[in-house]
Amino acid sequence: ESVLTQSPGTLSLSPGERATLSCRASQSVSSSYLAWYQQKPGQAPRLLIYGASSRATGIPDRFSGSGSGTDFTLTISRLEPEDFAVYYCQQYGSSPPRYTFGQGTKLEIK
Amino acid sequence: EVHLVESGGGLVQPGGSLRLSCAASRFTFSSSWMHWVRQAPGKGLVWVSRITSDGSSTAYADSVKGRFTISRDNAKNTLYLQMSSLRAEDTAVYYCARDATHGDFDYWGQGTLVTVSS
């Protein structure tokens, strides 16, 4: 079973800066099945990116995803105050059905 | 917009049972695969279970297999999670989520808290 490891655990940046979040899989992941979510305190997660690089409905274009195989990246080009949250990557494997999340990266205001 | 509302959470003793519900609206529920995902206090997201659109196929995380049962009533637009033999480590906020057909979850409910404690 593939494990997702996110780094760093915590990222401290200022509004306006660029954020780069990493997600590494222990086994190769189909790009079609790699997603990213944002979660703010007390709220449900929100889908940001699916298929490794496609933005979900209503997601601003400052959010972008890239990568393939075992290494994936979420980039926020210019941080807005509302972007400070926890981010999770997630993969899907079909045999048997498994939906695995990374442990999360907390993006905090510096 | 898609609307998912969970209910049924609460305090239950170890070994007890609880049934969660998720009322769905503003989309064609009967065409959507659905999931339960949980989050222990201060921890990350963990997938629990999935059911196909017609209910013919289910899947479970190893940690809940044999104890939890996912089901749905398409006539009532409602998803369920029957939880039994509950343990302290099942304490979490339980979210229902819609499958987006790419193996990801495009809409989530607000969650319902389950606390397993004596």
Side-chain angles (χ1 to χ4, degrees):
Chain A
E1 182 174 322
S2 186
V3 174
L4 297 179
T5 301
Q6 294 186 239
S7 61
T10 302
L11 184 58
S12 299
L13 293 170
S14 300
E17 291 192 295
R18 180 185 186 91
T20 303
L21 287 67
S22 174
C23 176
R24 178 162 290 178
S26 59
Q27 301 174 25
S28 185
V29 175
S30 168
S31 296
S32 298
Y33 301 131
L34 193 287
W36 290 92
Y37 302 84
Q38 176 194 68
Q39 188 179 33
K40 297 179 181 179
Q43 296 185 17
R46 178 174 70 147
L47 178 66
L48 298 175
I49 301 288
Y50 65 91
S53 61
S54 298
R55 274 188 300 276
T57 303
I59 301 304
D61 60 8
R62 64 180 181 273
F63 291 90
S64 63
S66 63
S68 63
T70 59
D71 290 294
F72 297 89
T73 300
L74 174 70
T75 301
I76 310 171
S77 60
R78 188 175 174 83
L79 286 166
E80 298 286 344
E82 62 267 27
D83 298 336
F84 293 92
V86 179
Y87 291 83
Y88 295 94
C89 58
Q90 177 252 323
Q91 66 168 352
Y92 164 62
S94 60
S95 298
R98 285 293 181 268
Y99 302 80
T100 307
F101 291 91
Q103 84 280 15
T105 289
K106 181 179 181 181
L107 178 57
E108 65 177 24
I109 299 177
K110 187 174 182 179
Chain B
E1 184 174 283
V2 169
H3 199 48
L4 298 169
V5 179
E6 302 93 338
S7 60
L11 176 63
V12 60
Q13 292 188 336
S17 298
L18 207 58
R19 188 177 83 158
L20 306 183
S21 299
C22 171
S25 59
R26 305 175 195 169
F27 70 103
T28 307
F29 179 73
S30 59
S31 297
S32 296
W33 290 21
M34 297 294 296
H35 298 261
W36 289 98
V37 177
R38 70 185 181 184
Q39 186 170 36
K43 303 298 184 182
L45 301 167
V46 177
W47 173 76
V48 172
S49 184
R50 178 224 75 198
I51 188 167
T52 53
S53 55
D54 63 357
S56 63
S57 177
T58 59
Y60 299 92
D62 290 342
S63 59
V64 307
K65 198 175 296 182
R67 300 189 299 122
F68 290 12
T69 301
I70 190 171
S71 63
R72 64 192 297 159
D73 185 335
N74 284 345
K76 295 183 178 179
N77 287 346
T78 303
L79 175 72
Y80 302 101
L81 185 68
Q82 178 68 47
M83 305 185 294
S84 61
S85 302
L86 283 162
R87 307 165 180 166
E89 54 265 35
D90 296 318
T91 294
V93 174
Y94 285 74
Y95 296 99
C96 65
R98 190 179 79 165
D99 189 290
T101 73
H102 316 105
D104 45 79
F105 317 112
D106 60 353
Y107 289 97
W108 299 63
Q110 85 289 348
T112 187
L113 176 62
V114 172
T115 302
V116 184
S117 175
S118 55

